[in-house]
Amino acid sequence: MILDAKIPEVVTLDAKIPAGPLAEKWEKHKFNVKLVNPANKRKYDIIIVGSGLAGASAAATLAELGYNVKVFCFQDSARRAHSIAAQGGINAAKNYQNDGDSVYRLFYDTIKGGDYRAREANVYRLAQVSVNIIDQCVAQGVPFAREYGGLLANRSFGGAQVSRTFYARGQTGQQLLLGAYSALNRQIAYGKVQMFPRTEMLDLVMVDGKARGIVTRHLVTGHIESHSAHAVVLATGGYGNVFYLSTNAMGSNTTAIWRAYKKGAFFGNPCFTQIHPTCIPVSGEYQSKLTLMSESLRNDGRVWVPKAKGDKRLAKDIPEDERDYFLERKYPAFGNLVPRDVASRNAKLACDEGRGVGSTGLAVYLDFSDAIKRDGLDKVSQKYGNLFEMYAKITGEDPYQTPMRIYPAVHYTMGGLWVDYNLMTTIPGLYAAGEANFSDHGANRLGASALMQGLADGYFVLPYTIGDYLAQMPAAKVPVDHPAFKEAETTVRATIQKLLSINGTKTVDEFHKELGLLMWDYCGMARNAEGLQYAKGKIQALRKEFWSNVKLYGVNEDMNQTIEKAGRVADFIELGELMVTDALHRNESCGGHFREEYQTPENEALRDDANFAYVAAWEYTGPESEAKLNKEPLAFENVKLTQRSYK
Amino acid sequence: MAGNNPNSTPMNLTLKVWRQKNANTPGQLVTYKVNEISPDMSFLEMFDVLNEDLLRQGQEPIAFDHDCREGICGMCSMYINGRAHGPEKGTTTCQLHMRKFKDGDTIVVEPWRANAFTVHKDLSVDRSALDRIQQAGGYVSVNTGGVPDANEIPIPKSIADKAFDAATCIQCGACVAACKNASAMLFLSAKVSQLAMLPQGKVERKTRVENMLAQHDAEGFGSCTNIGSCAAECPVGISLENIAMLNREYIMAKATSDNIG
């Protein structure tokens, strides 16, 4: 792991990228990994935390291979993991449309879209296995959209100039997750997977420096329990809820990966957050979450604001020549389809200039009137019907009649636990998959790539790489009465008792909202050193206040949602501080990380490849000391680093 | 902050909410007043406001299930004024907005009630029976890898679209809550139909319908008597046609298969 021990301040991480030409690395690696004899696989237990695309697909596949798998999720059913809410689609380099797509092009687009902060070898592998994912899903009965000839339909999606996105109306995530969930159910029925719904992981257990299990709390009974295994996979999704308001589900949290971080797993690029350009704007202080309107809407919708500041006329009363279609004006080649970070930042700029629309002035229009004129109401409703309905339900306005109002919202976190090429964290035997790892999207994720990555990790990567690890370890099990488990259980119980005993005056939600506002204002779409320093102090103070003034209710041995929330928010506060530290140290702009001090004259992100072409992997050093920076240098052997331009 | 509808005024409401300590303790309706409720709030945001108030007053917040709050995860489950997910057609509780109510209204909120769903606490119920029905056969038996190219088997668009319609079920259990027999036939039929229509699912169609139906009955769900309240209350519009298809599939299976289950 540690290559360069001479400089104690900064450790250089070895990503274990296989040697050889880019296109052959994965094939060679698959041949070189060690295999577990089929008869021996049943002697190994694997714990998977999270049942979304990455978790469910990994669990099903590992169980099919013969391992014993335990899956944990906090929802009441595995099928409710937040992957289910993904709308737009999944990319794959099938080139079914004969429009020039290829594995290399998908690789290239992803590296470029990520603003050259992702690892080449991982991204290339992702593009390679993307084609297998579609085959797998269709075989499971996933009802993708089809053409009249009976073959699969594709569309182009934000940031791509080819049509490589497969979709199932506006609910691709649900259909893909149901595919993985059905494969998981089959293994549950066979007895190869044991499913633990309404069960939350609260600590990672290590024995002899290796991940050997977890401690969980049952969310209905409060029962604290230990589970032992030979390897642990965290597929627990992203941490966007650190901002309080995000498009994530209410329960989405950082607890599993954060507690693994505190046990020694490094955290990669925590400040890389994706702000999605097309969300329904905030309507009031009671707002509990934000709703995404699929990016696919930008294929046909045109984004605009009035040319004049403070123009309060209704959209229909603003004549064509007084509208500013700012994305089409600034980026004629990509127009409304520029990558998410670019679209979000420009919406913010327009609103900062006083040209925002709606009662709050924090929104821009997304207008379908031209598409309806061109293609007819039917065609538009066929493509976007359910999204228009959802919009109407939430806002009480009809997008067929009046333009949608949209505003950027936190949507995805590119950062996550640092993993090597095998998706193993810096803790042996601990893996991270899907959004929970930092791996493939660099500083900005392209649309329709999250589903691809989750399923790639679960179906096609982990089943090989975990085998390699298990083949090299004895099958002996660690009993759950091992002191390491007992100690972790004691800590978990003590933390819950501490939270219950504070009995202060502020609710968990109040702390969460305060944290969210700090993060949004100072570590959101635009950041600067002064603001980040200010936020860091405020977050540290908030953490102290939380542990002396938070108010919970009741006891542990009960269905107690205040305990669930308190544990998660306590972790979010600590993570918030690390995100700010990371954003402050990265003295450049790249992708979703926009430091105001580092921009081109046209307000585009200005990278500093000489000094920052690396993954920042932070190491926990204790509750009161600064996290330690470690680096994985990014070598670009196949792609030339350029200033991204979508003009 | 002003909402989306600048003319809308805040409302004062009376809530009668089912409170139940756990599965073994009887529950009761408890009355709460909520004031200054914005019509732009979602129903669950109104509950957030109430729960924050309760907590500040040192009272126990109301337990309820929810997660995505955008109508797709199927976790939210409130029986509002005698209707699963409340008064608005085609809408989950989380997508129901307070503009559907009037100032001064009294709203009764209960959990899903069915033999097969025990109450965990307050408004939260155990729906794991639905998962077990899925585990009995709601899948195509293929392992990862070694499958044909996705375009190898063309599927007519009309069939793919119909299969998709059936596949949109979010497994919330509203059909069960709405049914006087507490039957889960609409839920079950959606999965059976989706897979029976697609070439990938046809291979196992007989054993699937028999096994899933046997599990449905074993869980204590009632039988279907063709009332149709399930489809009327389904938040995603799963059609009764699926139950007709389920019956066809079942009869065909029973007539020609090995009669399992």
Side-chain angles (χ1 to χ4, degrees), chain A residues 57 60-61 64 74-82 84-85 87 94 96 132 134-136 138-152 166 168-171 174-175 178 181-183 185-190 195 197-198 220 244 247-252 280-292 359-360 382 389-390 392-397 405 459-460 505 507-510 551-553 558-562 565, chain B residues 1-6 21-22 38-42 44-45 48-49 51-52 55-76 88-92 95-97 99 120-121 124-128 130-132 134-136 138-158 160-165 167-173 187 191 194-195 198 200-201 204 235:
Chain A
S57 60
T61 308
E64 287 161 10
F74 69 79
Q75 298 90 345
D76 79 331
S77 165
R79 62 165 288 148
R80 309 209 197 281
H82 193 53
I84 203 138
Q87 298 171 355
K94 281 285 198 185
Y96 281 162
N132 306 111
I134 304 303
D135 299 342
Q136 191 61 39
V138 167
Q140 292 166 342
V142 170
F144 282 121
R146 287 177 184 269
E147 304 289 357
Y148 284 102
L151 302 183
L152 293 164
F166 295 78
R169 270 177 234 170
Q171 42 180 273
Q174 144 139 298
Q175 295 309 323
L178 293 185
Y181 166 75
S182 73
N185 279 333
R186 179 167 159 251
Q187 296 306 315
I188 294 171
Y190 288 166
M195 186 70 219
R198 291 198 193 264
V220 177
Y244 185 71
T247 65
N248 284 4
M250 300 300 286
S252 299
I280 299 179
V282 175
S283 70
E285 276 166 22
Y286 48 80
Q287 190 108 16
S288 59
K289 79 153 272 164
L290 295 171
T291 303
L292 172 77
S359 56
T360 61
Q382 234 179 47
E389 251 175 63
M390 191 197 273
K393 248 175 222 168
I394 292 171
T395 62
E397 292 172 3
R405 285 170 298 108
Y459 282 135
F460 298 110
T505 59
T507 65
V508 178
D509 280 3
E510 287 175 82
K551 186 175 181 62
L552 280 71
Y553 182 92
D558 193 1
M559 184 169 188
N560 185 342
Q561 293 171 330
T562 66
K565 283 202 233 178
Chain B
M1 200 185 293
N4 295 327
N5 303 319
K21 190 169 166 40
N22 54 41
S38 158
D40 285 328
M41 271 186 201
S42 73
L44 296 184
E45 283 167 348
D48 293 341
V49 170
N51 269 347
E52 286 287 284
L55 192 52
R56 279 192 210 99
Q57 295 160 19
Q59 295 182 51
E60 180 163 31
I62 302 159
F64 65 93
D65 281 325
H66 64 107
D67 200 26
C68 79
R69 298 209 176 184
E70 46 189 275
I72 194 80
C73 78
M75 189 114 175
C76 63
E88 193 179 5
K89 199 171 165 49
T91 304
T92 54
Q95 294 284 281
L96 176 65
H97 280 68
R99 64 180 80 94
H120 282 314
K121 184 172 187 163
S124 168
V125 300
D126 178 357
R127 287 171 287 190
S128 55
L130 300 178
D131 281 320
R132 288 189 293 274
Q134 297 272 27
Q135 287 154 18
Y139 44 77
V140 175
S141 298
V142 288
N143 283 354
T144 302
V147 297
D149 183 87
N151 259 348
E152 197 150 299
I153 307 170
I155 301 173
K157 186 175 188 310
S158 55
D161 285 351
K162 269 201 111 86
F164 179 92
D165 289 340
T168 57
C169 168
I170 57 172
Q171 202 169 315
C172 62
F187 154 75
K191 189 43 80 181
Q194 177 206 340
L195 294 177
L198 296 170
Q200 291 84 0
E204 299 165 279

Side-chain angles (χ1 to χ4, degrees), chain B residues 16-260:
Chain B
K16 293 182 182 241
V17 183
W18 186 261
R19 301 300 308 260
Q20 182 171 344
K21 190 169 166 40
N22 54 41
N24 307 317
T25 314
Q28 58 174 332
L29 286 171
V30 177
T31 304
Y32 301 97
K33 299 272 183 201
V34 284
N35 297 325
E36 297 290 305
I37 295 300
S38 158
D40 285 328
M41 271 186 201
S42 73
F43 200 80
L44 296 184
E45 283 167 348
M46 185 264 293
F47 259 75
D48 293 341
V49 170
L50 171 59
N51 269 347
E52 286 287 284
D53 282 349
L54 289 176
L55 192 52
R56 279 192 210 99
Q57 295 160 19
Q59 295 182 51
E60 180 163 31
I62 302 159
F64 65 93
D65 281 325
H66 64 107
D67 200 26
C68 79
R69 298 209 176 184
E70 46 189 275
I72 194 80
C73 78
M75 189 114 175
C76 63
S77 47
M78 290 186 188
Y79 204 71
I80 302 163
N81 284 345
R83 298 185 62 182
H85 292 304
E88 193 179 5
K89 199 171 165 49
T91 304
T92 54
T93 302
C94 66
Q95 294 284 281
L96 176 65
H97 280 68
M98 296 314 294
R99 64 180 80 94
K100 297 289 164 187
F101 298 89
K102 292 193 308 290
D103 185 36
D105 276 358
T106 297
I107 307 172
V108 181
V109 189
E110 298 168 86
W112 282 176
R113 295 193 192 279
N115 219 0
F117 295 163
T118 45
V119 173
H120 282 314
K121 184 172 187 163
D122 298 338
L123 302 171
S124 168
V125 300
D126 178 357
R127 287 171 287 190
S128 55
L130 300 178
D131 281 320
R132 288 189 293 274
I133 294 175
Q134 297 272 27
Q135 287 154 18
Y139 44 77
V140 175
S141 298
V142 288
N143 283 354
T144 302
V147 297
D149 183 87
N151 259 348
E152 197 150 299
I153 307 170
I155 301 173
K157 186 175 188 310
S158 55
I159 304 268
D161 285 351
K162 269 201 111 86
F164 179 92
D165 289 340
T168 57
C169 168
I170 57 172
Q171 202 169 315
C172 62
C175 48
V176 179
C179 177
K180 64 171 186 166
N181 306 321
S183 171
M185 287 291 177
L186 190 68
F187 154 75
L188 163 63
S189 71
K191 189 43 80 181
V192 166
S193 304
Q194 177 206 340
L195 294 177
M197 280 187 268
L198 296 170
Q200 291 84 0
K202 282 194 197 301
V203 179
E204 299 165 279
R205 65 198 292 184
K206 292 181 190 174
T207 50
R208 175 179 307 117
V209 68
E210 288 182 287
N211 288 333
M212 290 181 79
L213 197 61
Q215 188 65 38
H216 171 276
D217 294 349
E219 295 290 351
F221 291 107
S223 298
C224 174
T225 49
N226 292 325
I227 305 298
S229 27
C230 53
E233 298 290 48
C234 175
V236 295
I238 300 295
S239 156
L240 265 190
E241 269 179 68
N242 290 299
I243 296 189
M245 188 156 191
L246 168 72
N247 289 335
R248 271 203 311 279
E249 286 291 310
Y250 185 66
I251 291 164
M252 187 190 72
K254 277 292 167 206
T256 60
S257 81
D258 300 332
N259 274 318
I260 35 169

